[in-house]
Amino acid sequence: MMKNKIVVHVQRTPARLPRHLAPSLPLAPSTRAALAARGIQQLFVHQAAAVDALCCQRKHVVVATSTASGKSLCYNVPMLEALAADRDACCLLLFPTKALAQDQLRVLRQLMADAFGADAPCVEVYDGDTPHPQRAAIRDRAQLLITNPDMLHQSILPFHSNFSRLLAKLAYVVVDEGHAYSRAYASSPLFVVTSATIANPLEHAALLLGVGPEALLLVDEDGSPHGPKEFVLWNPPLTAQAQQAVGEGGGGVVLSRTEQRVGVAASGAAAAAPAAALSPKMQREMARTLARESNAARRDMPEDCKPVTQPQWQAASTTAAVAGTASALQSDLQRQIEAALPPRGQFKELYGAAGTPLDQRRESPIVEMSLLLAEAVMHGLRTIAFCKSRKLCELISAYTRENLKACAPHKAGLVKVYRAGYSPAERRQLEADLHSGALTAVAATNALELGIDVGSLDLTLHLGFPGSVASLWQQAGRAGRRSQASASLYVAFDGPLDQHFMTHPHALFARPIECVQLDPCNAIVLNSHLVCAAKELPLLPSEDGPLFGETQLQAALQQLKSAALLGRHPRDPPHSEALHYTGRAQNPAADVSLRTIDPERFVIWNAADASVLEEIEANMAFYEIYDGAIYMYQGRTYICTSLSLETRVAQVKPIDVRWYTRVRDHTDIHVTGAHVAYPTAHAALAAIAARRATTGADTRQAAVKQEAAAAAAAVVVSAEAAAAQQQSCVITVRFMGYFRVHQGSGQVFDAIDLFLPDTQFETQACYMRLPPSARRACDAAGIPFREAVHAASHALLNVLPLYMVCNSTDMGTECDNPYDTRFRPERLLLYDKHPGGIGLAAQATPLFPELLQQALELVQRCACRYVKGCPCCVQHLDCKNYNAVLNKAGAVLVLEAALEQEAAVAEARAGQR
């Protein structure tokens, strides 16, 4: 196989015929009329099974079938049957996004009209976009109320008396992700939980609803049809320099796809090559070119958006405060954290493909994706291009429009962006245009991953692995939703997972769907929701214990009573165990977010026409908007002229430039827990050091036994001790500056300092301290220890998605900067990137031995011979310091030492029992 092969694999799935089944009991005439109006004469086997379980067996149901399998009829038919039997019956439907709620509103209104005519029950949406003057009328008349978990949590449950009519007659609760509340009323609703692609739907739903698995019936036999599908793995071609390095350039001048796209001359291609590969003359020419572009960018920047200087920042920072910034921590802890952070305006960074071998560098997957999307639009293929971030969506849209303007100008307007941040009206218009065919393609985040009906699609494009096989199949299922033939293309980054799947396609297509993990015992989550529950109704520990967990509930109640958030009511009888909410907030639910989205927002204001472009979460604001930032909106570029921290308003104005900006920041992880990974292990560590000097299998096995005996004699390890510890930590992000980057080539041509407030949040981390033997092994091999630890940390992070549903936005590690010479703890650490933590560190802690072993095998299995490794072993796509401080051989030594210490502690623990 040629090294530069682009289409590396095509997975073909044949068409599947439908399988039908009639429900056990005949359906009501109104139900049959509604189905007939939609052209439905028979139910699929999974639909009939769900209807029987709900209508005949009266059991809660979990439906877990493929995307576009008709899961909505699994609850729509029982709702129609309930309304046919009792015209006052009510239903509550929870959908995770507003877009999906609007889609279901249209479907349900038509369905009810077909079933009951002019006397159809009222169907309404009640979410954050519902105008306040209309909410009272909706509460009074709605029988089918569509909402989301956030609205249920913050506006329905705290004011449940306003919804007494609906809750008292509640027949069904449809849940995608969320919780429902009905114990204050006499109704006993049945729950329907739908899920397309997860491995543990029954266990997941049981945890979600707070019931045992025996109370639920799983429906997972899929009887729906689908058309033939081709799934293509697309690896961007090697760069021009890489082709020449491996002899695939044919001996002539090779133009890269990026150069062909932007019309760059062949002589200018050297700018993308490493300096060591260029002649002195070409190096000087490249330096002069970059200097000219940098000076031009600074000169052409409007006066009202010059970067803030350090004195200006110091003056402003005394009066401005940003939610989530470092102001609430104890002064001693804050001083410790400040000492570990680099000083503002004096921090250097390397940028570029540090350590990436020349002969393995590939073209930009962003450019490749835009070329594919433009090709799809030109051929009239209705397409969704899935990207992992807002900026990637905007870049893909902008590049695609440029390609179309050059080849088919009349089709340039058929591509838009669909992502969070747009106004409700804009989102509804985009959905309608895509459904009607007015738009041919959209670049979207996972906002369109769910089952929104956007019509019949032909193709899905996927920029990089989305983090789980479940999400990949969910996204790919958006094409071919009407049983027609469809295709999906997975365009790879240079990251280790993407390249692993490109070289081992079977590892992707044979990989099982992941489990979705919930952590209802998370102390932060539990405490917050107990306060909210107590505000709604007094807590009764003896009755609520099974719902929240007896042990966890008692500990949480004690903490909340100590914090004066819970207490006894003076009018309760002496024997009453009821605990009432005693806090100051009128509605504590308003301060508890169900999602990891900051409720505080920055407004992006277009000064050119005095309009609001979008609102962005405060915890993400400094990554997108700052003085001099290039902000993109529907493929158009704006420059940020000012950012007010007091009013939370960023002013932007249109600008026509060929570059974008990328913030550079430094992240510090300060573990605040008091426990250490290994209480004491001097004898065990000495035995490990001795064993490293031994050779031969027999000698090595004997050394293991001697080490275990020494460890058992010298180390007191509790039954709960483990190699890794889970502890709380404080994450501090300091924004150092930003890069200016060419749109086409990705070349950084300028760096500007920034002076913004630090952002901080508390979360959870799992880590293990490295034994002294790891440093000694690196010293003996002449390998810098910091490079070895950094590489080993990357390897751990690279294998983590093989065991958990997570990606680079969920979990991170400590990355080393080449200019940073301060002390760093000698540890391997993974931390939860979500404020407060969502249980990921708790899940990773017991997996640490397996993660260490898998990381070691990953590094040893990689055939690259480069000191800094490659994206398939110890490099990581999201490394803040561009993989500049790495050593592949050192990673092996560190991981081996960690595994040896793990084995010693495990055997010592076994000897104690």
Side-chain angles (χ1 to χ4, degrees):
M1 182 178 71
M2 288 182 62
K3 188 173 183 179
N4 198 26
K5 187 174 181 181
I6 298 174
V7 177
V8 298
H9 181 79
V10 179
Q11 187 80 6
R12 293 179 173 86
T13 303
R16 182 178 66 196
L17 296 176
R19 290 183 296 122
H20 298 102
L21 184 68
S24 299
L25 297 177
L27 299 178
S30 57
T31 304
R32 294 198 301 270
L35 295 177
R38 299 173 65 85
I40 299 172
Q41 302 299 326
Q42 303 178 78
L43 296 181
F44 299 136
V45 292
H46 63 279
Q47 295 169 340
V51 170
D52 285 345
L54 292 165
C55 298
C56 302
Q57 304 173 38
R58 303 299 297 168
K59 294 196 68 173
H60 306 302
V61 169
V62 184
V63 182
T65 54
S66 62
T67 306
S69 59
K71 286 186 291 294
S72 60
L73 280 185
C74 294
Y75 53 81
N76 284 342
V77 170
M79 287 193 302
L80 287 169
E81 289 291 288
L83 287 164
D86 178 6
R87 293 305 307 274
D88 292 329
C90 297
C91 300
L92 182 67
L93 299 97
L94 304 179
F95 296 102
T97 66
K98 296 175 182 177
L100 192 54
Q102 291 293 328
D103 183 57
Q104 291 298 315
L105 175 67
R106 182 181 66 252
V107 172
L108 282 173
R109 281 180 172 172
Q110 185 61 52
L111 192 68
M112 294 300 147
D114 293 336
F116 302 105
D119 195 27
C122 180
V123 184
E124 296 288 354
V125 167
Y126 195 84
D127 61 20
D129 292 343
T130 304
H132 284 272
Q134 300 177 14
R135 294 187 178 186
I138 290 175
R139 291 195 297 265
D140 291 339
R141 68 173 184 265
Q143 284 185 250
L144 277 70
L145 190 66
I146 301 172
T147 186
N148 53 56
D150 310 82
M151 199 68 175
L152 179 73
H153 163 65
Q154 295 189 345
S155 297
I156 298 179
L157 298 185
F159 308 101
H160 51 80
S161 59
N162 294 337
F163 296 85
S164 58
R165 176 193 59 83
L166 181 139
L167 294 174
K169 297 290 291 183
L170 205 56
Y172 291 106
V173 178
V174 177
V175 181
D176 192 346
E177 283 186 75
H179 68 284
Y181 183 94
S182 59
R183 77 173 188 177
Y185 302 94
S187 65
S188 298
L190 291 176
F191 288 81
V192 186
V193 181
T194 62
S195 174
T197 47
I198 60 173
N200 59 334
L202 190 64
E203 296 78 7
H204 171 68
L207 283 174
L208 197 63
L209 301 180
V211 300
E214 67 281 354
L216 293 151
L217 178 68
L218 175 63
V219 177
D220 58 357
E221 184 182 0
D222 193 344
S224 64
H226 65 68
K229 189 179 190 68
E230 292 190 347
F231 203 113
V232 180
L233 300 189
W234 188 284
N235 212 11
L238 295 171
T239 62
Q241 291 75 27
Q243 292 181 47
Q244 292 172 341
V246 299
E248 292 188 7
V253 175
V254 181
L255 286 179
S256 70
R257 292 208 178 191
T258 300
E259 293 160 352
Q260 294 170 9
R261 172 183 168 274
V262 299
V264 179
S267 60
L278 305 176
S279 66
K281 180 179 180 181
M282 294 180 73
Q283 290 183 42
R284 290 193 298 272
E285 180 59 31
M286 181 178 68
R288 284 195 293 268
T289 300
L290 294 180
R292 284 196 301 269
E293 291 171 341
S294 176
N295 292 334
R298 290 173 182 265
R299 182 182 63 252
D300 297 339
M301 177 181 287
E303 285 296 327
D304 54 0
C305 62
K306 296 291 186 182
V308 176
T309 63
Q310 185 168 12
Q312 292 172 330
W313 174 84
Q314 289 174 337
S317 64
T318 59
T319 58
V322 177
T325 57
S327 60
L329 296 175
Q330 303 95 327
S331 58
D332 289 343
L333 176 59
Q334 187 59 51
R335 281 194 292 269
Q336 295 177 33
I337 294 174
E338 183 66 29
L341 288 168
R344 291 183 172 85
Q346 302 176 27
F347 189 63
K348 297 180 180 179
E349 273 193 13
L350 290 180
Y351 53 83
T356 303
L358 174 63
D359 61 350
Q360 292 185 8
R361 294 181 184 175
R362 294 186 175 272
E363 291 292 346
S364 164
I366 302 174
V367 171
E368 201 74 9
M369 185 88 151
S370 66
L371 292 171
L372 289 168
L373 187 56
E375 192 76 14
V377 172
M378 290 180 63
H379 286 81
L381 298 177
R382 303 191 62 211
T383 306
I384 295 180
F386 287 102
C387 309
K388 291 190 280 189
S389 70
R390 300 177 183 184
K391 178 160 282 187
L392 284 176
C393 287
E394 296 288 357
L395 287 172
I396 291 293
S397 174
Y399 291 3
T400 303
R401 287 180 180 179
E402 288 181 9
N403 294 329
L404 289 172
K405 285 177 181 178
C407 304
H410 60 290
K411 294 189 174 183
L414 298 181
V415 182
K416 288 191 177 180
V417 177
Y418 186 100
R419 60 172 177 82
Y422 293 161
S423 69
E426 286 177 306
R427 292 197 300 268
R428 300 296 89 79
Q429 187 61 50
L430 285 169
E431 293 156 13
D433 289 346
L434 190 57
H435 189 275
S436 65
L439 279 180
T440 302
V442 292
T445 57
N446 59 1
L448 281 180
E449 180 178 309
L450 302 175
I452 305 169
D453 186 6
V454 290
S456 179
L457 298 178
D458 305 298
L459 176 67
T460 60
L461 302 176
H462 311 266
L463 184 57
F465 187 64
S468 70
V469 173
S471 290
L472 185 63
W473 297 141
Q474 186 92 348
Q475 294 174 359
R478 301 314 313 273
R481 292 173 65 90
R482 297 290 186 268
S483 298
Q484 84 274 23
S486 61
S488 296
L489 274 76
Y490 168 9
V491 181
F493 280 100
D494 278 340
L497 273 182
D498 282 358
Q499 290 305 309
H500 174 70
F501 290 142
M502 293 297 116
T503 55
H504 304 89
H506 65 278
L508 174 65
F509 294 106
R511 186 176 176 183
I513 299 297
E514 301 89 349
C515 292
V516 173
Q517 304 292 339
L518 292 180
D519 185 17
C521 298
N522 182 300
I524 296 175
V525 175
L526 180 60
N527 289 5
S528 299
H529 286 279
L530 283 174
V531 169
C532 298
K535 174 64 176 176
E536 296 158 17
L537 280 178
L539 295 175
L540 302 174
S542 60
E543 296 183 15
D544 296 332
L547 293 175
F548 297 104
E550 300 285 355
T551 304
Q552 295 85 357
L553 179 62
Q554 293 302 323
L557 293 179
Q558 188 60 43
Q559 292 178 10
L560 295 174
K561 287 190 288 187
S562 300
L565 293 172
L566 293 180
R568 293 171 55 85
H569 196 283
R571 295 182 181 178
D572 284 348
H575 62 274
S576 174
E577 64 170 349
L579 293 175
H580 298 256
Y581 172 68
T582 56
R584 296 182 178 181
Q586 292 295 318
N587 180 17
D591 298 324
V592 178
S593 176
L594 294 188
R595 308 172 195 244
T596 55
I597 298 177
D598 195 328
E600 300 293 338
R601 302 270 176 149
F602 276 73
V603 174
I604 299 180
W605 179 263
N606 184 5
D609 59 7
S611 64
V612 174
L613 290 178
E614 73 166 294
E615 295 182 0
I616 188 170
E617 298 90 350
N619 60 353
M620 295 297 297
F622 294 162
Y623 290 98
E624 302 287 342
I625 47 174
Y626 40 83
D627 291 341
I630 294 298
Y631 164 75
M632 303 187 73
Y633 182 86
Q634 286 295 357
R636 299 185 294 272
T637 54
Y638 299 80
I639 191 165
C640 181
T641 59
S642 68
L643 173 62
S644 171
L645 303 181
E646 294 178 335
T647 61
R648 301 179 187 276
V649 174
Q651 290 202 29
V652 300
K653 62 182 182 182
I655 190 171
D656 184 16
V657 293
R658 299 285 304 173
W659 44 270
Y660 62 94
T661 53
R662 184 174 68 229
V663 75
R664 51 192 180 101
D665 60 286
H666 175 82
T667 300
D668 176 76
I669 300 101
H670 188 88
V671 175
T672 56
H675 300 291
V676 296
Y678 292 93
T680 175
H682 300 293
L685 295 177
I688 292 172
R691 173 148 64 94
R692 294 197 63 85
T694 64
T695 56
D698 294 338
T699 306
R700 193 174 183 85
Q701 291 176 2
V704 170
K705 294 180 180 179
Q706 293 174 2
E707 174 188 306
V715 185
V716 179
V717 184
S718 68
E720 292 77 19
Q725 295 287 325
Q726 178 196 349
Q727 299 293 341
S728 59
C729 66
V730 175
I731 307 299
T732 304
V733 180
R734 174 159 290 181
F735 297 91
M736 310 305 302
Y738 64 90
F739 293 128
R740 291 193 176 110
V741 188
H742 278 301
Q743 281 190 359
S745 66
Q747 179 75 24
V748 173
F749 66 89
D750 201 2
I752 310 295
D753 289 334
L754 277 178
F755 298 94
L756 294 169
D758 297 338
T759 61
Q760 283 185 336
F761 62 91
E762 294 189 53
T763 185
Q764 298 291 315
C766 59
Y767 72 99
M768 65 173 295
R769 295 188 187 278
L770 290 170
S773 59
R775 178 178 283 276
R776 287 197 295 267
C778 290
D779 290 343
I783 296 173
F785 186 58
R786 293 174 65 151
E787 295 183 3
V789 175
H790 189 191
S793 299
H794 275 188
L796 275 177
L797 197 58
N798 286 336
V799 300
L800 189 63
L802 298 175
Y803 295 87
M804 294 169 48
V805 179
C806 65
N807 55 36
S808 58
T809 64
D810 298 316
M811 295 289 282
T813 189
E814 294 176 300
C815 292
D816 216 335
N817 184 276
Y819 296 106
D820 192 356
T821 59
R822 292 162 299 165
F823 169 78
R824 293 181 67 88
E826 298 179 358
R827 63 193 179 194
L828 297 176
L829 180 145
L830 300 172
Y831 72 94
D832 192 326
K833 289 186 174 182
H834 301 279
I838 58 173
L840 296 175
Q843 296 172 36
T845 302
L847 294 173
F848 234 80
E850 185 67 22
L851 293 173
L852 290 170
Q853 184 63 46
Q854 186 67 32
L856 178 61
E857 293 176 5
L858 173 73
V859 179
Q860 291 177 329
R861 189 170 57 238
C862 183
C864 79
R865 300 184 300 274
Y866 305 98
V867 174
K868 296 182 182 297
C870 72
C872 294
C873 53
V874 298
Q875 293 189 16
H876 195 270
L877 186 65
D878 292 320
C879 177
K880 294 292 186 181
N881 293 296
Y882 303 92
N883 300 295
V885 186
L886 296 174
N887 191 288
K888 179 181 178 182
V892 173
L893 298 177
V894 168
L895 292 169
E896 286 179 341
L899 280 167
E900 288 170 345
Q901 181 161 306
E902 166 68 27
V905 172
E907 293 192 28
R909 183 167 64 244
Q912 291 277 320
R913 296 174 180 171

